[in-house]
Amino acid sequence: MNKKNSLLSINNLKVSIAEKIIINGLNLTINHGEVHAIMGPNGSGKSTLAKTLAGHPECEIQSGSISYLGKDLFDLSVEERANEGIFMGFQYPIEIPGLSNTAFLKAALNAKKKSQGDEEITAVDFLKELKHNAEVIGMDQAFLNRGVNEGFSGGEKKRNEILQMMMLKPRLSILDETDSGLDIDAMKTVANGLNSMRRKDSSFLLITHYDRLLGYIKPDFVHVLSKGQIIQSGDSTLANQLEEKGYEWLVKT
Amino acid sequence: MAGQNIMNTHFDLNGSQLKDYGLDLIDVDWLKQLKKETLARLKTQSIPSKKDEEWRYTNIKPLIQKCFELAAKNSISNLKKDKPFIQKHSDNNIFIYYADGHFCFMGNLPSYIKTLRTSEDQMIFQTLLNYDVEKIHTPFADLNTLMLSDVLMIETLKNQKIDATIHIIICSDVEQNISPRLLVQLRENSSIRIFEHYLTSNSCVINSLTDINCEKNSQLDYYKIIDEQEQGYHLSLSNIRLARNSYLNLFSWDSGANISRNNINIDLVEKNASVNLNSLFSPKEKLHVDNQLKIKHLAEKCESSLDYRGILQDQSTGVFGGEVYVAQEARDTQSDMKNRNLLLSDDARINTKPVLEIYNEDVQCSHSATSGCLDNDKLFYLQSRGIEETDAMNILIRSFASEIIEKIKNSQMKRTFQEYLVQKLQ
Amino acid sequence: MQPSNTKKSNPEIEKVIDQNYQYGFVTDIESETIPPGLDEDVVRLISAKKNEPDFLLEWRLKAFRHWQKMKQPTWGQLRIEDIDFQSISYFSQPKQKLKSLDEVDPDLLLTYEKLGIPLHERAKLAGVAVDAVFDSVSVTTTFKEKLAEAGVIFCSFSDAVKEHPDLIKQYLGKVVPYRDNFYAALNAAVFSDGSFVYIPKGVRCPMELSTYFRINEANTGQFERTLIIADEGSHVSYLEGCTAPMRDENQLHAAVVELIALDDAEIKYSTVQNWYPGDEEGKGGIYNFVTKRGDCRGKNSKISWTQIETGSAITWKYPSCILRGDNSVGEFYSIALTNHYQQADTGTKMVHLGKNTKSKVISKGISAGHAQNSYRGLISVSKNAEYSRNYTQCDSLLIGGECGAHTFPSMEIHNSTTTLAHEATTSKVADEQLFYCRQRGIDEEEAIALIVSGFCKEVLNKLPMEFAVEARALLQVNLEGAVG
């Protein structure tokens, strides 16, 4: 399982939040270029897995290990993980009033460049790329100058997450319920953005409740999470089965 | 200039004895002793003046003068026996009147209510009053102790849920000095509803003091209407202490007096205590209402919410001084303070000062204050529907007040306030 | 085990690292400083040194006699050590007399260069006319000639006394009388210099005017006075900046600023205050007790205050507007950032006297470390100020659990046609906001700076372009040590 050239490898992970075990012995390997979907009922630990990978302070690691690009993930701070290419699309994106989207993205992009020893991006190049990406996902230019997620609707916030992902070009994108709260058009544009990024050096971990998004983005693997463990893995047909039968039949066995 | 002021700012009680002012109203030794000590202390205290930030908008001198005048004039020892206005208790309503210097009632009081004059258990009064003196030593608290002639105590039992409304009606139709004292002790996990109603029809001075202690998980539903005659003076001080998970819900309406001043101090001393204050004040003519609130968040996860609305007519004046203090230990505090005012006359005035003092980062606090006349657009809209201007204005004024009243959950009390609204704002 | 993910109480925020006050150097220049102490003779000496006309000396003496009767104020939430007014020297000036910028001591020029002040060539590039006040004396004013072409007078206060005594006589002390408060009286008695601006009728000042203040000598107080008069229909934008060396003792700065706007005139006054704030233990730093007031005397006049207060051990100032003229407008935009043991008590008074007067107050207070930050304000509407309006918003942001943020707004409304709205919020930099930024690769310190600048946006936007960048940088520098 633990291939040397894998992007991410999670071994027997146990995580608690506020002294309650949420992830309980989870194993998962994601290789370069793969798209994985994690499905499961509410409270199965999906969001905690995403937060743990991103390094959220409330997630307390009880045991297990995660290696990312051959490094121990726990040695890296939140921002180091980000600059090494881990991107988390938030289920509930945070508002930062007064700080413009553009300024925020530029700061993030330059932080990444700095960590890699690269020159800062020029304003012209930055804006060109930003506008292009905003078009791909159908985001109005006016949003770019508003405060980060400030007064955005649920759908606008999710689009904004995808826009940030496209700008930061992560190696591993963890999208936590990015499809929730989206209407069908928004879903398509979000999927467009996602599909435009699918290539050998970018992998995805899609966390989702339903298979709606998976109709637009075909995953290589589907895993079912229950009580903090992966209880079933398969290819994209597993998602269809879940849609038909629900989770009950798996959880019971 | 400084020398003169110092003379004037002290209580001028030199050489006076208790009996000089008719202050030895009850023949109880421990109380006389307490009053003696109080008098001695009061002599050393200074009278607040407009130079004190807290008294900037209210001139208290005429009140204090009147207070002593009346005390000297009428000693309230000979009590009238029959009081025809007293209502009978019913299952849901207990009626207690404060008249002629003592708390009176028809029939028997439930065991959780006691008065100093009728109770055989003097110890508990003595303990609580002495304790109060330690705790609250403002000149007006001292004045109350000095002049009190009876004390009402409500003390619930653990787990006792009292469904009745306790009506406390402070009334008078002669010019007199009234110093009601109320002690409320809510034991663990108990609940009660109290309705305090001030009804006076002559130029009385009321200086009331209420001390409330809410223990763990207790709930107090507290209503207050201050409806006094123009020449009256009303001073009330409430000190409220809320322990873990306890909850205070207060609705009040003050229609003003010559001077009406309400001080409410609330200490949220333990985790998860919460307080919800809603108030209307609506002085007319030359009446004056001054609201002073101090909410202290002293423990984590407490909540406070205040909504005070002023409706000011004629030459009336209103004051709102609200202060929310958040101590360093009071993490995860939530507080919201609102003061909205309608100025209905060019000669009316409002002074408002919503203060936040915060010593802790983990808070969500906000306050807001507005002042203005009736919204012309709304007025026009109503008139365009054929409603006459004065009626339209009344509708808007009432709806401004109704927003507070609609928050009352108890249906009986809601009706009482609605009726009062019709009576007061027509 | 100690997992890297766990970070419950955010120890980094509590950790205090060295703060870097980059203006803390002392310039080695020969100065003439009079011995400490204050009596009538000192007042006379200051006046004599400046060859002042009699009316000014008389005024100073009246102020001094009044001051002697006054008591040092104890104010609000401030903890102030007793100030010994006899241990301060009330006058200090560089020994060389200066005729032009070329004669300025190169050390002094270097000082201003270190301060990043566009005094010389850089001034031309930036298009900013600068008056620089070093200790108590104005050392140079640039662009005098160009401004003179437009009829604008921009010079040191001393020069104005010599060259335009009538204007001084007419306006000095009219907005802030010496009786106003303790420090205004002290300033009136001993002020040594400052800036003077007069914009004639109908003139739009062709460039930004700017003054930089610097306290250099030890044990001196700085008492400057600024007077700006905008005649009918004129317009001016003025900016002041302030720095001081790092010293262990507290130094006093008690300035007075008076603004007068006649009919249809507009004055925009911006301050970037970065006096030495003291060290991270709270030792040293400037006591900044300033009285600033603008008189919207004319119809349709406007006075706008913008201030970025990041320095000083204690700041005590309330730039105010008296809205006398009908339709006049007063504005106050403020950012006050306090860190370590700094204390700031600042705000504004808007006094509505004329009809249809409008005022707007936006105050942003940021408190970190052990600092205390208070907004204190008064909106007063008189009976005659019909249809006047006020909007006030004061927001506080707290960083770390040992600081305080307080709001003391007073509103006195004596008019029913007035519309007034006041809003205030207090919040912290949310952990989730920090996590969000960090997840995007931005480190904690920069994340805080970004969140703070977002919080302050409405005020930063009011600064002249040239200074907005400086102000942002200043916020970031002063937040250092607030987080690890």
Side-chain angles (χ1 to χ4, degrees), chain B residues 5 8-9 46-64 140 258-259 261 288-290 292 317-319 349 351 353, chain C residues 410 412 414:
Chain B
N5 273 344
N8 279 347
T9 52
S46 47
I47 299 172
S49 77
K50 286 198 159 195
K51 281 183 189 159
D52 299 308
E53 187 66 26
E54 227 189 284
W55 289 93
R56 192 166 158 189
Y57 303 110
T58 297
N59 180 12
I60 202 69
K61 271 193 184 157
L63 188 152
I64 290 166
F140 299 106
N258 207 331
I259 295 172
R261 160 95 172 194
H288 177 81
V289 178
D290 182 346
Q292 296 291 329
T317 47
V319 182
R349 292 175 174 208
N351 298 304
K353 191 172 179 187
Chain C
S410 278
E412 303 179 352
H414 300 170

Side-chain angles (χ1 to χ4, degrees), chain B residues 53 56-57 323 328 331 343-374 376, chain C residues 77 372 376 378 383 386 394 398-429:
Chain B
E53 187 66 26
R56 192 166 158 189
Y57 303 110
E323 187 181 319
Q328 203 176 331
R331 304 196 67 80
L343 288 188
L344 297 173
S345 143
D346 269 355
D347 297 315
R349 292 175 174 208
I350 178 75
N351 298 304
T352 170
K353 191 172 179 187
V355 168
L356 290 174
E357 247 188 279
I358 293 166
Y359 293 92
N360 175 351
E361 68 158 345
D362 194 6
V363 296
Q364 272 193 325
C365 293
S366 60
H367 68 220
S368 60
T370 62
S371 170
C373 48
L374 291 173
N376 278 327
Chain C
Q77 309 307 101
Q372 299 294 331
R376 195 179 298 279
L378 172 68
K383 203 157 181 287
E386 287 168 12
C394 35
L398 293 140
I399 304 169
E402 277 157 290
C403 51
H406 320 298
T407 324
F408 304 91
S410 278
M411 288 150 268
E412 303 179 352
I413 318 296
H414 300 170
N415 189 302
S416 68
T417 55
T418 297
T419 310
L420 169 140
H422 169 100
E423 287 170 39
T425 62
T426 303
S427 51
K428 64 167 176 170
V429 172

Side-chain angles (χ1 to χ4, degrees), chain B residues 250-269:
Chain B
L250 173 70
F251 284 88
S252 69
W253 191 328
D254 188 342
S255 55
N258 207 331
I259 295 172
S260 179
R261 160 95 172 194
N262 300 297
N263 276 66
I264 300 180
N265 301 322
I266 298 175
D267 290 357
L268 301 150
V269 295

